[in-house]
Amino acid sequence: MTAFALPQDWQAALKGALVAKDTLALRNFLDAELAAGKTIYPPQACWFRALELTPLDQVRVVILGQDPYHGPGQAHGLSFSVPPGVRPPPSLVNIYKELQSDLGLSRPRHGFLEHWAKQGVLLLNSVLTVEMAKAGAHSKQGWELFTDAIVQLVSDKPEPVVFMLWGAYAHKKAANVDTSRHLVLKAAHPSPLSAHNGFFGCKHFSQCNAFLVSNGFPPIDWTLPDAVQ
């Protein structure tokens, strides 16, 4: 059966979810897809990249995506991010436009967001895999319940966290977040189809940093250096 190799801290915290019936069914589904020779994104080594870069005890911000990019070379395990050398997709371009409007940051030349993840920004997709050229192909196979468990773990943290939720799907995903302790910011999705309906001008990045600073935490450095490693 397909191994779920999570970092040790997340592995321990998610031990119940890892043996849940839905997760076992998901692993069987992924086995069958791989055995059938289907191309799955991101590569298996990157399925849990968001958890590897952002340990549970360091999560300060959560940005929820839906499922990975389904084009060749795009998905690498972080929501909205693409590897170095890959052109930023339209939704990420709009995120950069809002960053520029909100914080005055110049638009990065790449779409590689690991710099954010390493500061405690959990870039989590609801569904962690997808079949090539078939958006949503792995939805309703068990990933959603698994990532619900991740969101619940973050909500249960004693330290305040910022949830940046873009689009109705993300809003529903974090419906059970404890708003008495955490900051939940909601806006339209940054997709070109909806960004003008409330994403542009939402000022989530400045609100996020103001909340973190007010609670004694350093702000996120949202700049993305041109040189990526």
Side-chain angles (χ1 to χ4, degrees), residues 185-215:
L185 300 173
K186 296 181 179 180
H189 195 277
S191 161
L193 298 175
S194 56
H196 290 280
N197 295 327
F199 178 75
F200 290 137
C202 69
K203 299 189 180 299
H204 280 188
F205 300 99
S206 58
Q207 291 183 67
C208 170
N209 278 354
F211 178 81
L212 291 174
V213 170
S214 71
N215 282 280

Side-chain angles (χ1 to χ4, degrees), residues 6 39 44 46 117 126 129 131 158 161 170 181 185 188 191 194 207 213:
L6 277 66
T39 300
Q44 189 169 351
C46 294
S126 176
T129 58
E131 184 180 346
V161 174
R181 292 184 296 112
L185 300 173
S191 161
S194 56
Q207 291 183 67
V213 170

